[in-house]
Amino acid sequence: MIVADRKPLAEILSFVASCRRILIVGCKGCVTVCNVGGQKEVEILAASLRMARRLAGDPLEIGEALLERQCDPEYVAELRERVSSCDTVVSMACGVGPQFLAEAFPEQRVVPALNTTFFGGAVRHGVWEERCAGCGHCVLERFDGLCPIARCSKNLLNGPCGGSANGVCEVHPDTVCIWDRIVRRKTARGRLADLKAIVPPKDWRPAGHGGPRRRVREDLTRTS
Amino acid sequence: MTDAFEPRILAYCCRYCAYAAADLAGSMRLAYPPNVRIVQVPCTGRIDALFLLRAIEAGADGVYVAGCLEGECHFLEGNLRARKRVDFVKGVLGEIGLEPERVEMFNLSSAMGPRFAEIARDMTERIRRLGPSPLRTDDASGETALGRCA
Amino acid sequence: MNRASLTGAVVVSGGGIAGIQASLDLAYAGYKVYLVERSPAIGGVMAQLDKTFPTNDCAMCIMSPKLVEVGRHPDIEILTLSEIRGIEGEPGSFRVTVEQKPRYIDLEKCIACGRCAGKCPKKVVDRFNRGLSQRRAAYVLYPQAVPLKYLIDEAECIYLQKKKCGACAKICPAGAVNFEDRARQLTLEAGAVIFSSGFEPFDPSAIDTLGYGRIPDVLTSLEFERILSASGPTRGHLKRPSDGAEPRKIAWLQCIGSRDINRSENFHCSSVCCMYAIKQAIIAKEHADPPLEGAIFYMDMRTHGKGFEDCYNQAREKHGIRFVRSRVHTVDPSPSGGGAILRYVGEDGLPSREEFDLVVLSIGLQSERPLRERLQELGIALTEGRFVRTDTFDPTATTRKGIYVCGALSGPKDIPQSVIEAEGAALRAGADLAPARHRLTSRPPVTAERDLRGEPPRVGVFVCHCGININGVVDVPAVRDYARSLPYVTYVTDNLYSCSQDTQNLIRAKIEEEGLNRVVIAACSPKTHEPLFQKTLADAGVNKYLLEFVNIRNQDSWVHMEDPPAATAKAKELLRMAVSKAVLLSPLAEEEIQILPRALVVGGGIAGMAAAKALSSQGYPVEIVEREAELGGQARFLHRTARGEEISSRLADLIREVETDPRITVHRHAELIQVEGFVGNFRSTIRQGTETKTVEHGVTFLATGAREHRPEEYLYGEDPRVITGLELDRRLRRKDPRLGELQRAVFIQCVGSREPSRPYCSRVCCTHTMISALELLDRNPQAQVVVLYRDIRTYGEREGLYLEARKRGVIFIRYDLEDKPRVRATPAGLVVEALDPILGRRIALGTDLLVLAAAVVPHESTELARFFKVPVNADGFFVEAHVKLNPAAFATEGVFLCGLAHYPKPIDESVAQAQAAAAAATVLLARGKLTAVGTTARVEPLFCSSCGVCLAVCPYQAPRFSEKGPFAGRAEINTALCKGCGLCVASCRSGAIQLQGFTDAQTIAMIEAAVSG
């Protein structure tokens, strides 16, 4: 899922400082599953903002909505009527959400409530870790399911750097050295020799370094 | 705050420990201030952060959660989760400019009637010192869920 | 007797708390019960009590649900105004002749409106109020009576005596008066009989020096109890008889008619009077506008039960009640007219005179004199104290096979002990008749649930006075009127005791008449009475989960007594909160859990073995897990019982029976290392050496026992002449010849008990010391035995041992906690120094042997407590479900408690509690299933994101992913496993789970109702 963090309340409050009425929109997709933008988080943000504004003597009317996903125009369109009556729409989806909302409702001011961070998964309830960098050319087969592009602090493709110590990355003690893991896994499977093959420098264009990416499936688009 | 106000405090009590302790405090005829309104929950693990925030938003001067002693939760870990949620809510209150001390978590066993009374007294005193919640409205306005149903 | 001829019915004679409990246990276990009661209604003495010790719970409050349950149970037939005249036949098929006196009012027709009493001109002294008030010849025993029916007192009725009047017959709207009623003889077929006829209070008029009957302000404790009671003659106001003034100074005189071979025929101790006097003193202080002085005059303060010593300490320290160690010899009338003057000699030997406004005589309990002969005629032997004789290892069996006894009839005892024996007797009677189970019981008619869909909420509010418990502080009528203003409330009323049968009838009636589909009860705690009201709703066709209970007693009137206006305002607010939740309640369904017909007993001592036997005798297989290499627990170290029985041979018999029983499997040197599951389906792993074995069982018994404290004082462990009570028993058992050569032996009581670090009383040590002292004298009549004590607690007929010890020259010297004896070792021998309070001088006793009556200390039980999710108190003993009314079970379903692990007790009480625990377990096992709660979690699959948090978070493995259907892959909850804790609900990422009965919407509605307005 796409993982995000909620922006500090002070920042969100600054976004809506001059508003009278806002609509907070959550998303039942990734942000629900990482407990940052689902039904409950929308309610909590609404209550927090309402209280903060009441304390400031400047009440704010807040509507709450929850879309199946904010990354599909069909779902976004459901909000048309509600959106027109508010000053600002606050999106609690990943970065895609506010943009789709802004595109669907160009006259409407849309602001994000989240800082979108990474693609990852829950290692246990309450803890999510990055797993994928969206590099556009997946090499997981080569590394037996452990991704050095997402999980190596230096994106190295040909073995650990000198900073790997006791299986931990020198950049942060909480970061596992993924190369240590890759080497151990390969060894355990008797395939350490695989790593002798040198991986050439990565073409980063599919990773977005060459501009925003696009994907088209011709067989699904309309003919005209 | 120098003018005497009467704190309005909500207490979420777990059925097995805190609610039973409250009953015991009654059987023992211990006195505590009448400012506390008890809401029974099967386990403090049931408590959503939202309950605490909505209580403050509705105008409660203080809210506390009372559950089993740590390690003795009737449902094993509910009280531990409740504590974390209380801490989260304290953080939110801090972020919006309210005193985090308005929300608290207490632990006690069903045999601790006197402790229940003591908690009620201590919390009432604490809130009295903090003063009324800035979000408190003393008039009878404000839609309630009941009103919305009608 | 062959199985086919067994009658699946039991006659219970005596409808007090013991008889009521026995009847319920038998009925639940599948037997028909005839509850024979001499008076017009059941309830016994407990119905006359205001409060019960040690919790000061209101007696009617805790008994009412049981009364109502008995009155309502289809398999219990109550025969009032009835007595057993004869029992013929064999165990298993008795023919019991019962004589039933005429009621003169038809039970079927009487609606208890009370008009007959209103019209009746004849005033009669009211025995229920102990003569303190009057009733009419047409009357009801008390307002919450079960059955709630009136009757006519034949001896006092003008029509029945002189053929004049008859006003009641004319005024009765139901035509229920029947002057032609005659006594009836009934013959009941039953497989067993249980006698629970209770006690007769001692009549102190025989002791002229006390002034009872002459001096108006000298009352018995029962009379005072009626004065304290909210439904008594003074409505709970403290008034003294002479002038109605409020007493400022009250004295209680202990041991009236007990421990008194001079002025009564009772040598025994009545066991309960010390505690009830303390209770009355504390309650009286509560009832009175301060200050009220209370003084208790006593010989020994006998607070030997669980929680009692704490109560005694509180009475002294917190309530300021004076305790005067002296037996008052004379009560004189006061010259001022009211009150009385006590004349007594203090411990200093000086005579004193003290005036009191009111004197309460703590009268003792004895068996009823007319009953004694009749019991003996029936083949039931009595003890020296003229109570029904039983055996230590079978404490509810009488000397006639098939006939059992429980409660005060077999010896004075308090309510918890009576309830335990009642359950034990029910177990024994039921076990005799196991093949005939369910043969004579009826299938209860289940009222079909009304379909409420489409109905707007119609809320009925019932506000309870609870006597004066609520209304004394909270303005109940104001709360009731406030309720009318709340949205959706269509009916309100207030009741004196909402838990009584008459109010249950009212609620049913109003549900039907007013079309109520939600009920809000504002009363005591839901923990006491929720099931009662839920049942009333179900009987009225309304789903039982459409009930909301508001606690305006334990959590309002009782804790805000200083501030009635605030208490009233709080009650209104709590009511408003409850109504806003009630409106959002939905009907809920209940799952059934199958109960595996197998038990696990942890602990192979007397209690564990007795429980195992009790279950096996009914056909249920049992596993015993014993930590030691052999069975027997502490009994292995004991010598003799208080009745003189030799323990080791009886223990050997018991062990042999257990070991040869084909249904009992014993695991020795074994421990539980893991427990999973819950009632009906436990999975316990036992480790024996290096092997582990997993056992599946439906119910569990914790009988882990206790051990003797190792003293750290009095040179114990430093000098071989200082030993503990159990060490002495070992020497006695081995017939150690040195014991016959003793010149002197000194005992010190309360070693390690009743001290700040261990504040409870170990209950058994005083009796044990008497037994040992007498044994020493048997071996060497020339020896001198001295006992240093704080209070001698030889309760019940054990007092006989104390009496005998004194007769045979044992010297008793009292010491205080603040001035404990000191022990020195010299080459010549030990020297024990203490202050003799009678001499007023310090004495030094040389002695050959010093025996320390060491405390009984429970075994470490934290892990077991965690395995089965049961509580342990600060002293280390397990905490039972309810101190008075459920002393052999835990609040956790399916787990039961017996023996020393509950509290120190002698063998007969351990056996009784084991049988009581087995009786409670039998109810589950006999039914084969348990109905789960309806307040389980529910997933709304449309919101579920299948993240799996609920599965990870649930302690009971209740959530799982649905495997088929339109929502395959989404979470669903196994309602049979769900305990309704709500953890998954609060953890659900999508807000997809709701806890039925505690939904977000309901809770938020309560919050907003609480804080708004």
Side-chain angles (χ1 to χ4, degrees):
Chain A
M1 69 195 84
I2 300 176
V3 179
D5 295 321
R6 201 204 60 204
K7 285 180 172 294
L9 282 177
E11 190 182 347
I12 302 176
L13 282 167
S14 74
F15 291 167
V16 299
S18 56
C19 300
R20 297 255 76 122
R21 265 187 105 176
I22 63 170
L23 179 68
I24 301 182
V25 188
C27 174
K28 281 161 84 173
C30 307
V31 292
T32 286
V33 186
C34 67
N35 290 93
V36 73
Q39 173 71 35
K40 289 190 175 174
E41 289 75 31
V42 167
E43 288 182 64
I44 289 175
L45 180 62
S48 309
L49 295 180
R50 269 196 307 263
M51 283 197 277
R53 285 286 290 258
R54 269 175 67 193
L55 284 174
D58 182 15
L60 176 64
E61 218 184 293
I62 305 184
E64 300 165 31
L66 185 70
L67 294 180
E68 190 67 36
R69 283 192 294 286
Q70 289 186 26
C71 48
D72 266 322
E74 292 86 354
Y75 292 120
V76 168
E78 288 170 13
L79 283 182
R80 184 162 305 277
E81 274 164 38
R82 294 191 68 180
V83 148
S84 51
S85 55
C86 63
D87 305 329
T88 296
V89 175
V90 178
S91 165
M92 287 195 91
C94 71
V96 178
Q99 296 190 63
F100 264 60
L101 288 171
E103 232 172 84
F105 312 115
E107 336 70 47
Q108 190 61 43
R109 178 166 176 259
V110 179
V111 299
L114 306 184
N115 292 326
T116 307
T117 44
F118 55 82
F119 301 140
V123 293
R124 58 174 196 275
H125 183 47
V127 181
W128 294 269
E129 283 183 1
E130 184 167 10
R131 286 290 184 270
C132 175
C135 73
H137 183 86
C138 190
V139 292
L140 280 176
E141 186 276 332
R142 205 182 184 111
F143 300 109
D144 287 13
L146 299 162
C147 178
I149 295 174
R151 302 180 71 178
C152 170
S153 301
K154 300 175 182 174
N155 312 127
L156 297 175
L157 288 169
N158 286 293
C161 70
S164 166
N166 297 321
V168 170
C169 174
E170 66 178 347
V171 171
H172 199 283
D174 282 347
T175 307
V176 147
C177 169
I178 197 63
W179 273 106
D180 183 283
R181 291 261 185 97
I182 293 172
V183 168
R184 287 182 198 282
R185 190 173 284 188
K186 288 285 189 188
T187 310
R189 293 175 184 187
R191 313 244 354 217
L192 193 57
D194 288 357
L195 296 179
K196 289 205 171 138
I198 302 290
V199 179
K202 180 176 165 61
D203 179 356
W204 288 94
R205 283 170 303 177
H209 292 210
R213 296 167 279 182
R214 190 167 206 250
R215 174 175 172 272
V216 179
R217 266 192 60 177
E218 289 298 343
D219 59 316
L220 298 177
T221 58
R222 291 218 294 232
T223 42
S224 57
Chain B
M1 286 280 145
T2 49
D3 45 349
F5 86 101
E6 278 311 317
R8 276 204 287 236
I9 301 174
L10 220 57
Y12 288 100
C13 293
C14 76
R15 181 189 185 84
Y16 287 96
C17 286
Y19 195 90
D23 276 352
L24 182 59
S27 300
M28 295 171 74
R29 310 294 195 280
L30 303 171
Y32 54 84
N35 304 69
V36 176
R37 305 283 177 269
I38 294 173
V39 175
Q40 187 192 128
V41 287
C43 175
T44 49
R46 166 72 189 94
I47 305 214
D48 219 293
L50 200 61
F51 292 169
L52 306 173
L53 287 173
R54 291 291 287 269
I56 299 284
E57 185 181 354
D61 301 300
V63 185
Y64 65 90
V65 176
C68 307
L69 292 170
E70 289 191 359
E72 292 181 21
C73 174
H74 187 86
F75 297 106
L76 307 185
E77 278 196 351
N79 56 352
L80 301 178
R81 291 183 191 276
R83 176 167 291 281
K84 297 217 172 159
R85 288 176 191 139
V86 167
D87 287 342
F88 168 75
V89 170
K90 279 174 179 275
V92 172
L93 291 185
E95 277 191 274
I96 62 175
L98 279 176
E99 303 94 327
E101 297 81 38
R102 290 191 185 272
V103 170
E104 196 51 78
M105 170 101 198
F106 297 101
N107 301 81
L108 71 168
S109 83
S110 57
M112 292 162 72
R115 175 74 184 126
F116 183 87
E118 188 182 54
I119 290 170
R121 258 179 257 128
D122 287 350
M123 195 65 182
T124 305
E125 256 334 281
R126 181 200 289 194
I127 300 298
R128 218 184 275 281
R129 265 181 284 115
L130 287 176
S133 162
L135 292 171
R136 176 173 164 152
T137 48
D138 272 315
D139 53 296
S141 67
E143 257 189 1
T144 62
L146 201 56
R148 283 199 280 277
C149 278
Chain C
M1 67 183 142
N2 64 48
R3 294 161 72 105
S5 70
L6 288 177
T7 316
V10 179
V11 171
V12 177
S13 174
I17 185 64
I20 287 168
Q21 184 67 50
S23 303
L24 286 172
D25 276 4
L26 285 166
Y28 291 146
Y31 301 101
K32 162 117 187 148
V33 178
Y34 296 100
L35 181 53
V36 175
E37 165 58 40
R38 186 179 55 196
S39 73
I42 58 175
V45 173
M46 192 168 168
Q48 296 175 293
L49 301 181
D50 175 39
K51 303 280 193 304
T52 58
F53 56 76
T55 50
N56 288 355
D57 274 331
C58 147
M60 272 316 285
C61 298
I62 55 179
M63 193 169 62
S64 261
K66 296 208 185 223
L67 288 178
V68 174
E69 190 59 34
V70 168
R72 215 208 312 241
H73 203 293
D75 299 320
I76 302 178
E77 194 175 319
I78 303 177
L79 298 166
T80 53
L81 298 169
S82 305
E83 280 185 271
I84 292 183
R85 286 278 167 249
I87 303 177
E88 309 294 315
E90 295 299 310
S93 52
F94 287 121
R95 273 177 323 281
V96 181
T97 23
V98 168
E99 186 185 298
Q100 185 173 53
K101 292 204 168 74
R103 184 177 274 264
Y104 299 106
I105 289 184
D106 189 320
L107 274 173
E108 300 292 312
K109 294 185 181 156
C110 174
I111 57 169
C113 63
R115 282 158 119 190
C116 50
K119 265 295 181 200
C120 177
K122 185 69 189 294
K123 292 190 186 159
V124 182
V125 166
D126 188 351
R127 301 278 335 122
F128 189 81
N129 276 332
R130 306 304 299 176
L132 294 171
S133 66
Q134 295 191 314
R135 58 162 170 84
R136 302 291 159 148
Y139 69 110
V140 69
L141 191 62
Y142 60 100
Q144 304 83 23
V146 171
L148 189 61
K149 304 284 176 188
Y150 278 68
L151 73 150
I152 299 179
D153 186 343
E154 181 182 314
E156 303 287 346
C157 170
I158 300 176
Y159 187 89
L160 289 168
Q161 294 298 318
K162 300 182 198 156
K163 284 278 184 282
K164 291 203 179 80
C165 183
C168 52
K170 298 185 197 112
I171 198 82
C172 174
V177 175
N178 173 18
F179 290 119
E180 311 309 312
D181 204 359
R182 293 288 168 265
R184 260 183 284 267
Q185 262 236 7
L186 307 161
T187 304
L188 305 171
E189 312 249 318
V193 179
I194 299 180
F195 276 94
S196 49
S197 330
F199 66 93
E200 170 184 85
F202 176 77
D203 180 359
S205 347
I207 308 181
D208 51 352
T209 49
L210 295 177
Y212 178 76
R214 278 184 298 116
I215 305 173
D217 293 328
V218 174
L219 295 174
T220 66
S221 47
L222 261 181
E223 288 164 356
F224 190 63
E225 198 72 36
R226 292 312 299 152
I227 289 180
L228 287 174
S229 170
S231 35
T234 61
R235 294 268 160 265
H237 296 295
L238 266 187
K239 288 186 184 157
R240 68 179 184 187
S242 60
D243 55 6
E246 206 180 308
R248 291 256 97 112
K249 203 173 169 203
I250 306 181
W252 278 263
L253 273 51
Q254 300 308 105
C255 303
I256 306 296
S258 312
R259 303 181 71 190
D260 188 354
I261 53 178
N262 287 324
R263 302 305 305 271
S264 84
E265 40 172 22
N266 301 325
F267 69 86
H268 65 265
C269 158
S270 294
S271 281
V272 302
C273 329
C274 284
M275 275 308 294
Y276 79 53
I278 292 177
K279 166 200 79 171
Q280 287 189 337
I282 294 176
I283 301 289
K285 282 190 136 218
E286 257 177 44
H287 276 240
D289 276 323
L292 172 73
E293 267 182 68
I296 299 184
F297 291 82
Y298 71 104
M299 297 195 287
D300 294 282
M301 190 42 58
R302 296 186 166 182
T303 49
H304 47 280
K306 193 169 182 181
F308 294 3
E309 191 73 21
D310 267 336
C311 192
Y312 175 31
N313 293 336
Q314 290 258 314
R316 282 192 331 273
E317 291 154 21
K318 181 172 168 216
H319 299 280
I321 292 166
R322 247 172 80 215
F323 285 82
V324 182
R325 199 181 288 265
S326 168
R327 198 172 200 178
V328 173
H329 59 79
T330 304
V331 181
D332 285 330
S334 160
S336 59
I341 300 197
L342 300 185
R343 285 201 276 141
Y344 62 95
V345 176
E347 270 197 290
D348 49 10
L350 301 173
S352 291
R353 291 176 85 245
E354 200 175 339
E355 181 158 358
F356 286 87
D357 296 328
L358 189 64
V359 176
V360 179
L361 303 177
S362 294
I363 48 176
L365 284 56
Q366 61 194 31
S367 62
E368 233 180 83
R369 276 160 297 179
L371 190 57
R372 292 173 194 168
E373 217 181 279
R374 262 195 291 125
L375 285 170
Q376 287 178 307
E377 279 166 23
L378 289 170
I380 295 167
L382 303 181
T383 61
E384 217 187 306
R386 287 170 299 273
F387 295 98
V388 171
R389 173 130 53 93
T390 59
D391 177 83
T392 296
F393 288 80
D394 200 0
T396 53
T398 67
T399 47
R400 184 168 166 185
K401 199 157 184 289
I403 300 190
Y404 301 94
V405 65
C406 58
L409 189 58
S410 58
K413 53 181 67 83
D414 58 17
I415 292 168
Q417 206 49 43
S418 298
V419 169
I420 286 177
E421 284 187 359
E423 297 193 278
L427 175 97
R428 290 285 275 116
D432 285 353
L433 308 172
R437 202 192 295 277
H438 299 304
R439 231 179 246 175
L440 296 176
T441 50
S442 60
R443 304 218 57 192
V446 172
T447 315
E449 217 175 271
R450 206 167 93 211
D451 185 349
L452 306 170
R453 283 176 297 186
E455 283 182 31
R458 295 176 60 81
V459 182
V461 178
F462 298 83
V463 190
C464 187
H465 289 239
C466 192
I468 58 162
N469 280 308
I470 296 177
N471 198 39
V473 178
V474 170
D475 182 352
V476 168
V479 174
R480 172 202 69 203
D481 293 337
Y482 175 73
R484 281 188 232 277
S485 68
L486 298 170
Y488 297 103
V489 171
T490 55
Y491 177 79
V492 308
T493 190
D494 55 323
N495 319 103
L496 187 59
Y497 287 106
S498 298
C499 49
S500 61
Q501 181 72 61
D502 51 341
T503 308
Q504 303 313 304
N505 297 341
L506 175 77
I507 295 174
R508 268 192 79 165
K510 289 303 168 190
I511 288 176
E512 280 157 41
E513 284 164 29
E514 305 280 332
L516 301 176
N517 53 30
R518 307 282 190 289
V519 171
V520 175
I521 308 280
C524 52
S525 170
K527 290 185 139 320
T528 330
H529 287 334
E530 197 172 52
L532 172 69
F533 291 101
Q534 284 179 329
K535 216 152 179 249
T536 300
L537 256 70
D539 285 349
V542 173
N543 183 282
K544 74 192 225 195
Y545 291 95
L546 297 173
L547 170 76
E548 192 60 26
F549 209 109
V550 188
N551 189 329
I552 57 171
R553 189 191 69 176
N554 296 53
Q555 295 177 5
D556 191 14
S557 68
W558 273 356
V559 289
H560 305 312
M561 298 199 287
E562 318 288 304
D563 195 351
T568 306
K570 179 168 167 174
K572 289 180 183 171
E573 225 171 84
L574 291 171
L575 190 58
R576 186 174 68 227
M577 287 162 71
V579 170
S580 49
K581 179 176 174 187
V583 162
L584 298 172
L585 290 171
S586 308
L588 302 175
E590 292 180 329
E591 283 264 328
E592 278 181 353
I593 299 175
Q594 296 306 311
I595 308 281
L596 275 174
R598 184 179 208 93
L600 181 79
V601 176
V602 185
I606 295 233
M609 289 194 286
K613 267 187 61 188
L615 288 172
S616 154
S617 67
Q618 297 181 92
Y620 301 111
V622 186
E623 316 254 344
I624 299 182
V625 178
E626 168 53 52
R627 192 166 58 182
E628 303 288 321
E630 37 172 24
L631 295 170
Q634 292 303 307
R636 291 171 294 166
F637 312 129
L638 290 171
H639 177 48
R640 249 185 229 288
T641 68
R643 282 164 225 207
E645 299 133 328
E646 203 234 320
I647 293 176
S648 54
S649 55
R650 297 295 299 268
L651 179 63
D653 288 342
L654 178 58
I655 293 178
R656 198 177 323 116
E657 278 173 52
V658 166
E659 286 177 346
T660 54
D661 189 321
R663 276 184 283 262
I664 302 181
T665 313
V666 181
H667 305 266
R668 268 172 260 266
H669 249 324
E671 274 188 307
L672 279 184
I673 54 171
Q674 185 58 263
V675 174
E676 288 172 324
F678 57 100
V679 60
N681 245 296
F682 290 105
R683 255 180 338 280
S684 300
T685 310
I686 304 171
R687 181 175 54 211
Q688 239 175 337
T690 48
E691 287 181 19
T692 58
K693 182 181 173 205
T694 302
V695 172
E696 291 190 341
H697 52 106
V699 293
T700 310
F701 289 76
L702 296 184
T704 46
R707 58 179 172 81
E708 194 182 40
H709 164 60
R710 279 188 68 82
E712 286 149 357
E713 51 190 333
Y714 303 126
L715 297 188
Y716 181 78
E718 295 171 33
D719 190 304
R721 291 164 295 194
V722 181
I723 60 175
T724 64
L726 281 188
E727 285 165 353
L728 176 61
D729 265 21
R730 184 170 30 196
R731 294 190 192 183
L732 287 168
R733 283 201 333 265
R734 294 185 185 168
K735 303 194 187 349
D736 188 331
R738 290 177 292 169
L739 295 178
E741 293 154 20
L742 286 175
Q743 296 303 306
R744 184 187 273 150
V746 175
F747 287 78
I748 300 182
Q749 300 304 107
C750 300
V751 176
S753 305
R754 303 182 67 193
E755 304 205 332
S757 59
R758 194 177 294 110
Y760 61 86
C761 162
S762 292
R763 192 176 177 92
V764 298
C765 343
C766 283
T767 305
H768 189 251
T769 291
M770 299 305 152
I771 299 170
S772 303
L774 291 169
E775 285 274 333
L776 289 179
L777 288 176
D778 281 342
R779 281 160 217 233
N780 179 8
Q782 312 308 322
Q784 187 189 65
V785 178
V786 181
V787 176
L788 300 171
Y789 72 98
R790 288 171 56 192
D791 290 281
I792 294 291
R793 295 175 167 187
T794 44
Y795 58 98
E797 289 193 74
R798 295 165 183 79
E799 180 72 16
L801 292 168
Y802 183 28
L803 189 57
E804 205 195 322
R806 293 197 317 275
K807 278 190 188 156
R808 289 176 62 179
V810 175
I811 295 175
F812 289 88
I813 299 176
R814 205 180 59 77
Y815 75 88
D816 278 321
L817 182 60
E818 294 74 41
D819 191 0
K820 286 163 72 166
R822 274 172 276 263
V823 181
R824 275 186 297 119
T826 72
L830 291 172
V831 178
V832 180
E833 288 168 338
L835 169 70
D836 184 329
I838 309 290
L839 290 177
R841 295 167 63 161
R842 304 204 79 84
I843 54 168
L845 295 162
T847 183
D848 306 316
L849 183 67
L850 176 60
V851 184
L852 306 178
V856 176
V857 173
H859 289 303
E860 167 45 54
S861 54
T862 343
E863 206 178 39
L864 262 183
R866 205 172 40 84
F867 281 157
F868 292 103
K869 303 181 194 71
V870 295
V872 170
N873 71 12
D875 297 325
F877 294 104
F878 285 108
V879 179
E880 61 271 48
H882 191 283
V883 160
K884 298 304 264 190
L885 296 187
N886 206 353
F890 286 102
T892 312
E893 292 270 15
V895 190
F896 303 95
L897 174 63
C898 50
L900 297 175
H902 160 258
Y903 194 71
K905 53 175 67 71
I907 290 177
D908 55 348
E909 291 174 17
S910 274
V911 174
Q913 196 179 28
Q915 292 177 342
T922 302
V923 169
L924 283 177
L925 295 167
R927 282 202 196 137
K929 59 182 196 285
L930 180 65
T931 323
V933 286
T935 51
T936 51
R938 247 194 86 202
V939 178
E940 177 46 74
L942 291 173
F943 277 93
C944 174
S945 55
S946 306
C947 67
V949 170
C950 51
L951 271 81
V953 148
C954 176
Y956 305 99
Q957 289 92 53
R960 57 187 176 219
F961 286 121
S962 167
E963 278 167 23
K964 26 189 206 288
F967 300 115
R970 309 283 172 111
E972 65 180 7
I973 308 287
N974 177 350
T975 45
L977 293 179
C978 175
K979 305 302 280 175
C981 69
L983 256 70
C984 58
V985 180
S987 301
C988 172
R989 296 175 184 179
S990 319
I993 316 185
Q994 282 299 332
L995 183 61
Q996 297 174 109
F998 295 94
T999 64
D1000 284 352
Q1002 288 160 1
T1003 312
I1004 303 241
M1006 284 183 94
I1007 295 172
E1008 295 190 344
V1011 189
S1012 70

